[in-house]
């Protein structure tokens, strides 16, 4: 008997997944935690899925207001999240409600933007008329600079369009898509553009300046302190392709992401006659999201963000250093985290980012002390 006949063929590792750990909803605080529980309970999704969408929304509205500062190092509050769920797992339903306040705010801002744009163009037309009318227009205080497009959430941009939006539009945005295949299957993530897209997303997570030097006039860009959060919801076969791609793995983008692959609840999701838009816990969460969006961002003269500084208390500092050092010690060649070094290397930074987001969300005064 040959050796190959004595053993079963090797099985894919993903077929032997362990049961997911219980998501620590209580750690999300008194505002996000209850909202996550209600969304999960009524819609019929795992708490992990609801938490990903809620945390992404919270990061979106917090990242422009504050950074975490520790020993001279700056940690932006931007978060990158990937959620894996099959078709029919209600990922769109939960993401729609988690982002409702942000999308409602964006729609209102677009209405105001269109009105301001019309007024601006009317003023420009008047300024081009004879001198008497020009003086009249100046007396009325007409502005010639065009209003900023209030694009808050973008779903499947090209990298160039994303960069231009951050430079010429709002300096804080979210790349969110509950059908992540649209983004992964777009020209942005094609073989020719993949490396550029991944490295750009990585530098935006880091908070590095945007630097685009082009030969064509008007195409060069340089901008500081822009913020981007990302949340893509993927079906399992797309997630498998993403996790196995050598370019994506090699560039370290996955290490920056908080990845959740919760268990399926199909067959256990009995209908609940509850209107979540009127639920007190969900309303409290959405009210806070809207309040942070309504709060004007602190900006430098060049339009870059001027976030407040969040500093750790002595006990929080000690706890975080212990977390950092424990992860580092387990990331060595024979450590428990040796096989996931790229994720482990960014885990402590993600702890600070999440803590900063929760601080901004929970404390109504933290951003403007």
């Amino acid at each position: 008997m040959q050796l190959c006949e004595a053993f079963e063929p090797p099985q894919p590792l993903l077929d032997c997944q362990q049961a997911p750990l219980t998501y620590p909803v209580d750690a999300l605080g008194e505002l996000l935690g209850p909202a996550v529980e209600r969304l999960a309970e009524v819609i019929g999704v795992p708490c992990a899925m609801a938490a990903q969408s809620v945390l992404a929304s919270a990061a979106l509205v917090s990242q422009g207001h504050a950074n975490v500062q520790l020993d001279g190092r700056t940690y932006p509050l931007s978060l990158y999240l990937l959620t894996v769920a099959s078709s029919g797992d209600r990922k769109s339903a939960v993401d729609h409600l988690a982002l409702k306040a942000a999308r409602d705010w964006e729609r209102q801002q677009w209405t105001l933007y269109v009105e301001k744009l019309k007024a601006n163009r009317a003023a420009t037309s008047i300024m081009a008329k004879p001198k008497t009318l020009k003086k009249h227009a100046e007396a009325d205080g007409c502005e010639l600079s065009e209003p900023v497009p209030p694009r808050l959430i973008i779903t499947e941009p090209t990298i160039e369009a994303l960069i231009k939006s951050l430079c010429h539009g709002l300096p804080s945005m979210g790349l969110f898509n509950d059908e992540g295949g649209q983004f992964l299957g777009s020209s942005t993530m094609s073989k020719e553009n993949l490396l550029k897209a991944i490295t750009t997303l990585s530098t935006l997570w880091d908070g590095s300046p945007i630097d685009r030097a082009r030969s064509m006039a008007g195409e060069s860009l340089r901008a500081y302190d822009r913020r981007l959060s990302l949340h893509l919801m993927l079906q399992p076969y797309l997630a498998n392709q993403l996790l196995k791609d050598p370019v994506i793995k090699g560039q370290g983008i996955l290490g920056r992401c908080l990845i959740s692959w919760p268990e399926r609840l199909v067959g256990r999701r009995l209908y609940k006659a509850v209107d979540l838009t009127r639920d007190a816990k969900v309303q409290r969460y959405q009210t806070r999201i809207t309040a942070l969006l309504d709060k004007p961002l602190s900006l430098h003269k060049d339009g870059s963000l001027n976030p407040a500084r969040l500093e750790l208390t002595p006990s929080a500092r000690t706890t975080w250093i212990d977390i950092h050092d424990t992860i580092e010690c387990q990331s060595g060649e024979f450590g428990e985290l040796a096989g996931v070094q790229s994720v482990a290397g960014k885990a402590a930074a993600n702890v600070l980012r999440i803590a900063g987001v929760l601080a901004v969300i929970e404390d109504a005064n933290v951003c403007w002390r």
Side-chain angles (χ1 to χ4, degrees), residues 315-364:
S315 61
R317 175 188 172 88
T318 300
T319 299
W320 182 82
I321 291 175
D322 288 343
I323 292 172
H324 175 278
D325 291 350
T326 299
I327 293 173
E328 179 62 25
C329 291
Q330 292 297 328
S331 299
E333 183 177 0
F334 301 106
E336 292 183 9
L337 303 178
V340 288
Q341 288 179 350
S342 63
V343 176
K346 302 296 183 183
N350 269 323
V351 169
L352 281 182
R353 289 169 181 250
I354 295 172
V357 170
L358 296 180
V360 173
I361 290 291
E362 293 287 340
D363 188 348

Side-chain angles (χ1 to χ4, degrees), residues 297-318:
L297 296 171
S298 177
L299 302 175
H300 293 289
K301 291 182 179 180
D302 63 356
S304 61
L305 291 166
N306 181 28
R309 300 198 313 172
L310 300 178
E311 297 183 353
L312 275 64
T313 63
S315 61
R317 175 188 172 88
T318 300

Side-chain angles (χ1 to χ4, degrees), residues 78-358:
S78 305
L79 296 178
Y80 283 12
L81 303 103
L82 298 176
T83 304
V84 184
S86 300
S87 178
D89 281 351
R90 302 180 179 176
K91 53 185 182 292
S92 296
V94 70
D95 204 54
H96 173 77
L97 273 172
L99 285 174
K100 184 179 185 304
R103 291 197 180 278
D104 287 349
W105 181 89
E106 185 180 33
R107 183 171 182 172
Q108 293 171 0
Q109 295 303 309
W110 273 106
T111 300
L112 295 174
Y113 167 73
V114 171
E115 295 174 355
K116 291 178 181 178
L117 191 61
K118 288 180 180 179
N120 173 271
R121 290 177 178 174
T124 302
S125 177
I126 292 175
M127 295 292 281
K129 290 183 178 181
K131 191 173 182 180
T132 54
L133 292 178
K134 181 177 179 181
K135 288 183 178 180
H136 178 70
E138 290 174 345
D140 288 342
C142 292
E143 294 289 340
L144 292 181
S145 58
E146 287 199 354
V148 174
R151 188 181 299 279
L152 178 67
I153 298 172
I154 196 165
T155 57
E156 48 174 321
T158 64
I159 286 299
E160 294 299 334
L162 175 62
I163 292 301
K164 286 183 178 180
S165 292
L166 284 168
C167 290
H168 301 310
L170 298 180
S172 174
M173 296 176 60
L175 200 173
F176 295 160
N177 199 323
D178 56 15
E179 292 294 343
Q182 291 181 345
F183 178 70
L184 295 180
S186 67
S187 60
T188 303
M189 299 294 284
S190 65
K191 184 177 180 180
E192 295 77 15
N193 298 323
L194 180 61
L195 185 59
K196 178 175 71 173
I198 293 303
T199 53
T200 299
L201 291 175
S202 294
T203 57
L204 288 173
W205 184 89
D206 296 338
S208 301
I210 293 172
D211 188 6
R212 288 285 186 273
R214 301 291 185 266
S215 59
M216 188 176 297
E219 290 298 312
S220 294
L221 295 170
R222 189 166 184 84
Y224 297 88
D225 294 311
R226 266 48 177 187
R227 295 291 181 264
L228 178 76
S229 281
L230 175 147
H231 183 206
L232 299 179
M233 307 185 88
L234 308 170
Q235 295 191 4
Y237 77 94
L238 287 174
N240 285 331
Q241 293 178 12
L242 189 71
L243 295 173
K244 294 176 182 177
D245 190 289
V247 175
I248 293 176
K249 289 174 63 178
Q251 289 301 315
I253 185 68
L254 294 177
R256 292 167 166 82
C257 295
L258 300 168
I259 304 175
S260 177
W261 194 324
E263 63 176 339
R264 303 194 68 192
L265 299 182
V266 176
R268 293 175 278 170
R269 305 170 300 178
L270 301 183
Y271 181 78
K272 290 182 171 57
V274 176
D275 183 352
L276 283 172
T277 63
R278 298 184 178 183
D279 183 89
K281 295 176 181 178
V282 175
Q283 283 184 335
R284 184 165 168 254
Y285 151 73
Q286 291 180 340
T287 298
R288 182 60 177 149
I289 295 296
T290 302
L292 284 169
L293 288 170
D294 284 339
K295 189 70 180 179
L297 296 171
S298 177
L299 302 175
H300 293 289
K301 291 182 179 180
D302 63 356
S304 61
L305 291 166
N306 181 28
R309 300 198 313 172
L310 300 178
E311 297 183 353
L312 275 64
T313 63
S315 61
R317 175 188 172 88
T318 300
T319 299
W320 182 82
I321 291 175
D322 288 343
I323 292 172
H324 175 278
D325 291 350
T326 299
I327 293 173
E328 179 62 25
C329 291
Q330 292 297 328
S331 299
E333 183 177 0
F334 301 106
E336 292 183 9
L337 303 178
V340 288
Q341 288 179 350
S342 63
V343 176
K346 302 296 183 183
N350 269 323
V351 169
L352 281 182
R353 289 169 181 250
I354 295 172
V357 170
L358 296 180

